[in-house]
Every structure is written in C-alpha cells, then in structure tokens.
C-alpha cells in the first residue's frame, strides 16, 4: 500500500545551501524519510543511475554534473509516494516548473534542476537498490503523526 521512492538532492542544491529547505518540504508534505545519506557518489553509480539516458546529448554533461560534488540521497515512503514526489518536484526545466514546486520555487535551470525523483515503480525499485544497497540503510518506522497525516482506516487499511 505504501510506496517508496528515491530522491537525489543534486550538487546545485547542496552547494546553494538548499538541503534543509528541500528536506523540510518532504516532511511538511507528510512523506516519511526512511533513508538519508550525503556522499560524493562515484562515476560508475551515477552512470548506471542515468543509463536510460545514455544515448541522449545531455548525458555526458549530466554525469559530470552529478559527480562534481556532494549529493544527498533520500528514500521517501508514503501512499502514492512516487507520483506525489514527482508533483512536488515540478517540470524538468525549472523555468517552466510551476510555482509551489521545488524546481518552480528554487531554480532557473534545465540541467541544474536541484532534484531527481524516480519516475515509476520500476525505476524506484532499481534506484533505491543502487543508492541504499547496504543492510539497514532503509529504516522501517512509524511516525507519531501518521493518524493525523492520513485517514488511516480510509486510506491505509
Ligand atoms: P527528470 O529529472 O525531470 O526526470 P529526465 O528527462 O529524466 O528529467 O532527465 C534527467 C536529467 O537530465 C534532468 O533532471 C536534467 O538534469 C537533465 N536534462 C534532461 N533533459 C535536458 C535537456 O534538454 N537539457 C539539459 N539537461 C537536461
Ligand atoms: Mg527522470
């Protein structure tokens, strides 16, 4: 019933001091953080993560950008979390992203667009495995606010 999805706060978000702003949007929305790490991820991992875009003209620059500095990887859980997160993030080109979305509020760039979010159940499963491979890196827990965030009987039963 509850879904999990992967978010990356890209190097521009970290460099611009926006980690707190972006993480607090997830908390305020009611998405549960079940995994969190800051790393400079290696080239191989980033290439694998973006392998669907391998043939695209922007791929080399994208991979270079994503390995240029620290990235924060976040695993989020919630009902329909994948779709909810994609909506929170907004359109790929930050200049076209709606106000209220992360990209719409905080960015001006197509390529430096602050966040990655898995685009479907298959990519979410693959990406969570890539970025949270170790035992115990994803944590099962129940927020004390759960029954206020959801109508539990109606939505989570
Ligand atoms: P998404 O991040 O909104 O899912 P994708 O199409 O999956 O967008 O592209 C992956 C990432 O590649 C984007 O977030 C962006 O950083 C970069 N990108 C995609 N298309 C372009 C482009 O046309 N110009 C520059 N960068 C792009
Ligand atoms: Mg994508």
């Amino acid at each position: 019933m509850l879904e999990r999805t992967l978010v990356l706060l890209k190097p521009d978000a970290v460099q611009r001091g926006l980690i707190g702003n972006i993480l607090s949007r997830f908390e305020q929305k009611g998405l549960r953080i079940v995994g969190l790490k800051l790393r400079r991820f290696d080239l191989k991992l980033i290439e694998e993560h973006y392998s669907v875009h391998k043939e695209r003209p922007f791929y080399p620059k994208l991979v270079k950008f994503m390995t240029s500095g620290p990235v924060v990887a976040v695993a989020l859980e919630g009902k329909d979390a994948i779709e909810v997160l994609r909506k929170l993030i907004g359109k790929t080109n930050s200049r076209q992203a709606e106000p209220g979305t992360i990209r719409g509020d905080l960015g001006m760039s197509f390529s430096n667009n602050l966040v990655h979010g898995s685009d479907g159940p298959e990519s979410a499963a693959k990406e969570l495995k890539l970025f949270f491979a170790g035992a115990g890196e994803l944590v099962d827990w129940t927020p004390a606010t759960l029954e206020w965030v959801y109508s539990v009987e109606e939505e989570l039963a």
Side-chain angles (χ1 to χ4, degrees):
M1 168 117 297
L2 293 177
E3 260 177 6
R4 286 183 173 178
T5 187
L6 178 88
V7 191
L8 299 175
L9 311 192
K10 299 183 178 185
D12 54 328
V14 177
Q15 297 290 351
R16 291 178 54 204
L18 294 171
I19 296 173
N21 180 311
I22 295 169
L23 289 182
S24 72
R25 290 168 186 248
F26 304 148
E27 290 189 311
Q28 286 170 359
K29 178 68 176 166
L31 287 164
R32 180 185 319 180
I33 296 174
V34 293
L36 184 63
K37 62 168 79 163
L38 181 144
R39 296 279 190 286
R40 188 153 179 177
F41 291 107
D42 66 41
L43 184 65
K44 253 189 158 171
L45 178 69
I46 295 297
E47 282 177 344
E48 175 57 30
H49 171 65
Y50 279 121
S51 56
V52 288
H53 295 312
K54 213 160 35 192
E55 308 305 329
R56 308 281 286 278
F58 59 82
Y59 178 78
K61 268 196 187 142
L62 175 62
V63 164
K64 196 171 169 208
F65 165 58
M66 291 297 290
T67 52
S68 68
V71 164
V72 176
V74 191
L76 294 177
E77 184 176 287
K79 189 174 167 102
D80 305 325
I82 296 168
E83 191 192 343
V84 168
L85 176 79
R86 292 285 294 189
K87 282 200 176 134
L88 280 189
I89 290 177
K91 283 189 188 158
T92 307
N93 182 343
S94 304
R95 293 188 298 278
Q96 288 168 4
E98 294 292 326
T101 64
I102 293 166
R103 288 167 175 166
D105 284 351
L106 302 175
M108 282 294 285
S109 170
F110 203 145
S111 45
N112 297 10
N113 59 5
L114 299 158
V115 269
H116 164 83
S118 308
D119 64 7
E122 276 161 38
S123 57
K126 177 198 157 185
E127 294 169 4
L128 285 166
K129 225 180 264 172
L130 267 182
F131 285 91
F132 292 96
E137 289 194 330
L138 294 177
V139 180
D140 296 319
W141 65 288
T142 303
T145 54
L146 187 74
E147 60 189 279
W148 301 102
V149 170
Y150 294 98
S151 170
V152 174
E153 265 181 32
E154 205 179 307
E155 295 167 312
L156 299 183

